Amino acid sequence: MALYSERSKWHSAQEPLASEEYVVKAMPAVLGTVEMTAFFIVIVFFITNANTASTAGPAALTYLVVGAIVFFLPSVIATAQLGVMFPYEGSLYNWTHKAFGGYWSFFAAFCAWFPGVLVMVSAADNVLAFIQGLNRQWVMQPWQQGLVIIGTLALAGLLALQRFRTVANVILVAASAIVGALVILGGAATWWLLSGHAPLSDFGEVEAWLPTLAPHGGNIATFGLVILAYLGAETPLNMAGELKHRRVITRHLCWGPLVVLLGYLIATTALLIVEGPTSGALLPALVATVDLSLGKMAGNLMAVCLIIFFFAAIVAYNCSYARLLLVAGIDQRLPAGVGRLSRSRIPARAILFQTLMAIILAALIFIVAPLVVHVGSPVDLTTEVYNVMLASSTLVWATSASFLFANLIMLALRNREAFHAQLILPAPVLWGSVVLGLLSSLFAVVDSLIFSWIPALIPNGSWWYIIGGVTCFCLIIAAIGSMFAASEADWQGLNGE
């Protein structure tokens, strides 16, 4: 039986959105707990964040646990609460509409959608990195890298256009592949120690586990990046209208976050033991860790697991974020055509649009920029442009994540009795999560503005202005776009479209 045959018990001041009824009637309910857990793992768990975390030494493990407590768990709790109250396609878009209305719903959705396109490029770049892990002499020039990334995005886009049951099976394979990769990493670290090697990080000093503030930031900069690594808890629920049962919402939010946290801890620990905090920062370090401990054959198997995982991550992001365009088109905040479904009952036009956008971004970063701008080496320029865009879009994403907590506050203020009647956890737990989530997301934004992601290429003093400027520009575009979207919806509504 399809989910949501009866309306939510919450009586909102907002009228029901057209997308709330359309999706459950037009799209098949194929996602169970296992599939949604797999989507959660593939979307949220970017294992390469362990490389960044490892630069802080054993303190990285402290940051991962604290970040999970102050941001990841609050985000999961907020997502579960909102998902139970409003189990509709579009997640944050729908929830923000209920709390703040049409303008802010489009703004929050845009701030979530825009980074998703760049994360698709980032995942394709990781596919390239692990292909190079098989042979480090392959694809050395930026234009060559750009062509491989574009080809990867195109292939992933074609896969995303298949029947959703097929796509869900691919995501299940990818989740299995990353679990296999973690088993290999854990085995590599264990064998390294059992074979008589000393860990290349000092785990015995208490100070190594603690945050440090030095003249240039110490390891505190890593904490902000760790918090940002936990973004995206709500993203799988963009497909909430396609769930088999309502209980899938809470069940996948129990298992998925547990796997993500354990995954980050295992990967970071393995890097610290075998590679050490400095070498672990390099992207191929995950494969090199296995190479050093278990040999080249195991390392190649590790690389293949990661290639499968990141290729499927592109598909998962494409499918999930296409649902934001879908519901916006159905609700007349974007041209209606973007919300049309293919014969397979998937938002094919939205998927094609996102794939094209990602390909254009990849071409600009890896091909056009090195050819047009002749400042320094092409490789450095590509790295600078890529990290500036990724950092700025991540901060925009963090802005959208803050709406998880703001929505709960507004909904409680609007109808306290109805809100508390649907609490899935005690009120003190929920409001503690709201406070922690808002404060930690603010800290992550400030931390990422102050400390450069690539200090060797862009110093902290310049980073602040560049990232702050680009982020503000993106938010202004989102604000202007939201005004047009709201006015378009009003105009079409008046004309009976």
Side-chain angles (χ1 to χ4, degrees):
M1 181 178 178
L3 185 62
Y4 324 130
S5 57
E6 56 183 58
R7 285 195 178 280
S8 168
K9 296 179 181 178
W10 175 264
H11 299 291
S12 171
Q14 302 293 330
E15 290 295 323
L17 292 168
S19 58
E20 295 175 11
E21 295 184 352
Y22 176 84
V23 170
V24 295
K25 293 178 180 178
M27 301 177 74
V30 300
L31 297 174
T33 300
V34 174
E35 290 86 357
M36 279 295 283
T37 301
F39 265 102
F40 188 97
I41 294 168
V42 173
I43 287 173
V44 179
F45 182 48
F46 248 58
I47 191 173
T48 49
N49 287 320
N51 296 69
T52 303
S54 69
T55 59
L61 302 176
T62 303
Y63 285 142
L64 284 167
V65 173
V66 174
I69 294 171
V70 302
F71 181 75
F72 193 34
L73 181 59
S75 297
V76 169
I77 289 174
T79 297
Q81 181 63 61
L82 289 165
V84 168
M85 293 171 67
F86 307 110
Y88 304 119
E89 197 90 348
S91 68
L92 193 62
Y93 162 84
N94 185 279
W95 306 335
T96 307
H97 177 84
K98 302 295 184 183
F100 290 97
Y103 173 84
W104 288 109
S105 68
F106 190 90
F107 178 84
F110 180 88
C111 290
W113 174 84
F114 172 71
V117 176
L118 193 55
V119 171
M120 289 167 58
V121 178
S122 178
D125 186 42
N126 284 328
V127 170
L128 169 64
F130 294 115
I131 290 175
Q132 291 174 318
L134 297 173
N135 188 325
R136 299 190 181 185
Q137 301 305 312
W138 289 347
V139 197
M140 300 300 293
Q141 297 301 315
W143 67 268
Q144 296 172 331
Q145 297 171 359
L147 291 178
V148 172
I149 289 171
I150 288 171
T152 302
L153 291 168
L155 288 174
L158 288 175
L159 181 54
L161 290 171
Q162 306 308 306
R163 291 176 58 250
F164 197 45
R165 179 67 261 173
T166 301
V167 172
N169 290 338
V170 170
I171 302 305
L172 287 171
V173 171
S176 301
I178 200 61
V179 171
L182 290 171
V183 171
I184 295 171
L185 269 175
T190 302
W191 181 250
W192 180 267
L193 298 175
L194 292 177
S195 59
H197 295 90
L200 295 188
S201 299
D202 188 359
F203 293 96
E205 293 291 331
V206 175
E207 291 79 5
W209 294 81
L210 301 176
T212 58
L213 284 168
H216 299 289
N219 62 30
I220 196 67
T222 305
F223 189 33
L225 295 175
V226 164
I227 290 175
L228 296 176
Y230 287 126
L231 286 170
E234 78 287 351
T235 304
L237 283 179
N238 287 346
M239 303 173 286
E242 300 160 74
L243 301 183
K244 292 179 179 178
H245 307 286
R246 184 184 295 267
R247 60 180 177 270
V248 172
I249 294 172
T250 51
R251 284 184 176 179
H252 92 277
L253 288 170
C254 290
W255 294 108
L258 180 61
V259 174
V260 170
L261 176 58
L262 290 176
Y264 276 135
L265 292 174
I266 291 170
T268 304
T269 301
L271 287 170
L272 290 173
I273 289 173
V274 180
E275 291 279 341
T278 302
S279 297
L282 303 176
L283 193 56
L286 290 165
V287 176
T289 294
V290 180
D291 284 344
L292 288 171
S293 180
L294 301 179
K296 186 64 177 177
M297 184 176 295
N300 288 344
L301 178 60
M302 175 74 178
V304 170
C305 287
L306 294 175
I307 290 169
I308 293 171
F309 175 76
F310 280 109
F311 180 80
I314 304 171
V315 179
Y317 273 101
N318 206 342
C319 290
S320 181
Y321 282 107
R323 269 58 180 181
L324 292 178
L325 299 180
L326 168 72
V327 293
I330 294 170
D331 295 331
Q332 300 181 342
R333 287 180 169 80
L334 288 176
V338 78
R340 291 178 183 169
L341 303 177
S342 69
R343 292 181 179 179
S344 300
R345 316 309 293 168
I346 60 168
R349 291 189 180 186
I351 290 171
L352 287 171
F353 175 74
Q354 290 180 157
T355 302
L356 180 61
M357 288 290 296
I359 288 173
I360 291 172
L361 280 174
L364 290 173
I365 294 171
F366 293 95
I367 299 176
V368 176
L371 292 176
V372 174
V373 182
H374 301 285
V375 178
S377 73
V379 174
D380 287 348
L381 178 63
T382 298
T383 302
E384 291 169 358
V385 174
Y386 175 74
N387 276 274
V388 166
M389 293 189 68
L390 187 60
S392 301
S393 63
T394 302
L395 295 187
V396 174
W397 195 0
T399 301
S400 75
S402 66
F403 276 90
L404 288 173
F405 311 108
N407 287 342
L408 289 172
I409 295 172
M410 180 58 70
L411 290 167
L413 291 174
R414 281 190 166 185
N415 194 331
R416 181 182 179 85
E417 183 178 350
F419 181 84
H420 281 271
Q422 295 190 73
L423 290 183
I424 60 175
L425 292 172
V429 174
L430 179 67
W431 296 122
S433 298
V434 168
V435 173
L436 283 175
L438 286 172
L439 290 177
S440 57
S441 58
L442 177 62
F443 174 86
V445 169
V446 173
D447 184 90
S448 297
L449 283 172
I450 294 175
F451 301 113
S452 173
W453 289 15
I454 44 173
L457 296 176
I458 302 178
N460 291 338
S462 301
W463 179 263
W464 165 273
Y465 297 106
I466 295 171
I467 301 303
V470 175
T471 302
C472 288
F473 175 77
C474 293
L475 292 175
I476 290 171
I477 294 298
I480 295 173
S482 300
M483 286 190 289
F484 280 107
S487 62
E488 175 72 5
D490 293 341
W491 183 84
Q492 291 190 15
L494 289 172
N495 285 274
E497 297 185 15

Coordinates of all heavy atoms in Angstrom, one line a residue, residues 1-6 20 24-25 29 31 87-88 239-249:
M1 N 0.8 -1.2 0.0 CA 0.0 0.0 0.0 C 0.9 1.2 0.0 O 1.8 1.3 0.7 CB -0.9 0.0 1.2 CG -1.8 1.2 1.3 SD -2.9 1.1 2.8 CE -3.8 2.6 2.6
A2 N 0.6 2.2 -0.8 CA 1.4 3.4 -0.9 C 1.3 4.2 0.4 O 0.3 4.1 1.1 CB 0.9 4.3 -2.1
L3 N 2.4 4.9 0.6 CA 2.5 5.7 1.9 C 1.6 6.9 1.7 O 1.4 7.4 0.6 CB 4.0 6.1 2.1 CG 4.4 6.8 3.3 CD1 4.1 6.0 4.5 CD2 5.9 7.2 3.2
Y4 N 1.2 7.4 2.9 CA 0.5 8.7 3.0 C -0.9 8.8 2.4 O -1.2 9.7 1.6 CB 1.3 9.9 2.3 CG 2.8 9.7 2.5 CD1 3.7 9.8 1.5 CD2 3.3 9.4 3.8 CE1 5.0 9.6 1.6 CE2 4.6 9.2 4.0 CZ 5.5 9.3 2.9 OH 6.8 9.1 3.1
S5 N -1.7 7.7 2.6 CA -3.0 7.7 2.1 C -3.9 8.7 2.9 O -4.9 9.1 2.4 CB -3.6 6.3 2.2 OG -3.6 5.9 3.5
E6 N -3.4 9.1 4.1 CA -4.1 10.1 4.8 C -3.2 11.2 5.2 O -2.0 11.1 5.2 CB -4.6 9.5 6.2 CG -3.5 8.8 7.0 CD -4.1 8.2 8.2 OE1 -5.0 7.3 8.1 OE2 -3.7 8.5 9.3
E20 N 2.4 17.4 -3.0 CA 2.2 16.4 -1.9 C 1.3 15.3 -2.4 O 1.5 14.1 -2.0 CB 1.6 17.1 -0.7 CG 2.5 18.1 0.0 CD 1.8 18.9 1.1 OE1 0.7 18.5 1.5 OE2 2.4 19.9 1.5
V24 N 2.8 10.9 -4.8 CA 2.4 9.6 -4.4 C 1.4 8.9 -5.4 O 1.3 7.7 -5.4 CB 1.7 9.7 -3.0 CG1 2.7 10.1 -2.0 CG2 0.5 10.6 -3.0
K25 N 0.7 9.7 -6.2 CA -0.1 9.1 -7.2 C 0.6 8.7 -8.5 O 0.3 7.7 -9.1 CB -1.2 10.1 -7.6 CG -2.2 10.3 -6.4 CD -3.3 11.4 -6.9 CE -4.3 11.6 -5.7 NZ -5.3 12.7 -6.1
A29 N 6.2 3.6 -5.3 CA 6.8 3.6 -3.9 C 7.7 2.4 -3.9 O 7.3 1.2 -3.7 CB 5.7 3.5 -2.9
L31 N 11.1 2.5 -2.2 CA 12.1 2.7 -1.2 C 11.7 2.1 0.1 O 10.8 2.7 0.8 CB 12.6 4.1 -1.1 CG 13.1 4.8 -2.4 CD1 13.3 6.3 -2.2 CD2 14.4 4.1 -2.8
P87 N 5.7 14.0 5.8 CA 6.4 12.9 5.0 C 6.1 13.1 3.5 O 5.6 12.2 2.8 CB 5.7 11.7 5.5 CG 4.3 12.1 5.9 CD 4.4 13.5 6.4
Y88 N 6.6 14.2 2.9 CA 6.4 14.5 1.5 C 7.6 14.7 0.7 O 8.7 15.0 1.3 CB 5.5 15.8 1.4 CG 4.2 15.8 2.2 CD1 4.0 16.7 3.2 CD2 3.3 14.8 1.9 CE1 2.8 16.6 4.0 CE2 2.0 14.8 2.6 CZ 1.8 15.7 3.6 OH 0.6 15.6 4.3
M239 N 13.2 12.2 -1.5 CA 12.4 11.2 -2.2 C 11.3 10.6 -1.2 O 10.9 9.4 -1.4 CB 13.3 10.1 -2.7 CG 14.4 10.6 -3.6 SD 15.7 9.4 -4.0 CE 16.6 9.3 -2.5
A240 N 10.9 11.3 -0.2 CA 10.0 10.8 0.8 C 8.6 10.3 0.2 O 8.0 9.4 0.8 CB 9.7 11.8 1.9
G241 N 8.2 10.9 -0.9 CA 7.0 10.5 -1.5 C 7.0 9.1 -2.2 O 6.0 8.6 -2.6
E242 N 8.2 8.5 -2.2 CA 8.4 7.3 -2.9 C 8.8 6.1 -1.9 O 9.3 5.1 -2.3 CB 9.5 7.4 -4.0 CG 9.2 8.4 -5.0 CD 10.4 9.0 -5.8 OE1 10.9 8.2 -6.6 OE2 10.8 10.1 -5.5
L243 N 8.5 6.4 -0.6 CA 8.8 5.4 0.4 C 7.6 4.3 0.5 O 6.5 4.7 0.2 CB 8.9 6.0 1.8 CG 10.0 7.1 1.9 CD1 10.1 7.6 3.3 CD2 11.4 6.5 1.5
K244 N 8.0 3.1 0.8 CA 7.0 2.1 1.0 C 6.2 2.2 2.2 O 4.9 2.0 2.2 CB 7.7 0.7 1.0 CG 8.4 0.3 -0.3 CD 9.0 -1.1 -0.1 CE 9.7 -1.5 -1.4 NZ 10.4 -2.8 -1.2
H245 N 6.8 2.7 3.3 CA 6.1 2.8 4.6 C 6.6 4.0 5.4 O 7.7 4.4 5.2 CB 6.4 1.5 5.5 CG 6.0 0.2 4.8 ND1 4.8 -0.2 4.6 CD2 6.9 -0.7 4.3 CE1 4.8 -1.4 3.9 NE2 6.0 -1.7 3.8
R246 N 5.7 4.5 6.2 CA 6.1 5.7 7.0 C 7.3 5.4 7.9 O 8.1 6.3 8.2 CB 4.9 6.2 7.8 CG 5.1 7.5 8.6 CD 3.9 7.8 9.4 NE 2.7 8.1 8.5 CZ 2.4 9.4 8.2 NH1 3.1 10.4 8.5 NH2 1.4 9.6 7.4
R247 N 7.3 4.2 8.5 CA 8.4 3.9 9.5 C 9.8 3.9 8.9 O 10.7 3.9 9.6 CB 8.1 2.5 10.1 CG 8.0 1.3 9.2 CD 7.7 0.1 9.9 NE 7.6 -1.1 9.0 CZ 6.5 -1.5 8.5 NH1 5.3 -0.8 8.7 NH2 6.4 -2.6 7.7
V248 N 9.9 3.9 7.5 CA 11.2 3.9 6.9 C 11.9 5.2 7.3 O 13.1 5.2 7.4 CB 11.0 3.8 5.3 CG1 12.3 4.1 4.6 CG2 10.5 2.5 4.9
I249 N 11.1 6.3 7.5 CA 11.7 7.6 7.8 C 12.6 7.5 9.0 O 13.8 7.9 9.0 CB 10.6 8.6 8.0 CG1 9.9 8.9 6.7 CG2 11.2 10.0 8.5 CD1 8.7 9.8 6.9

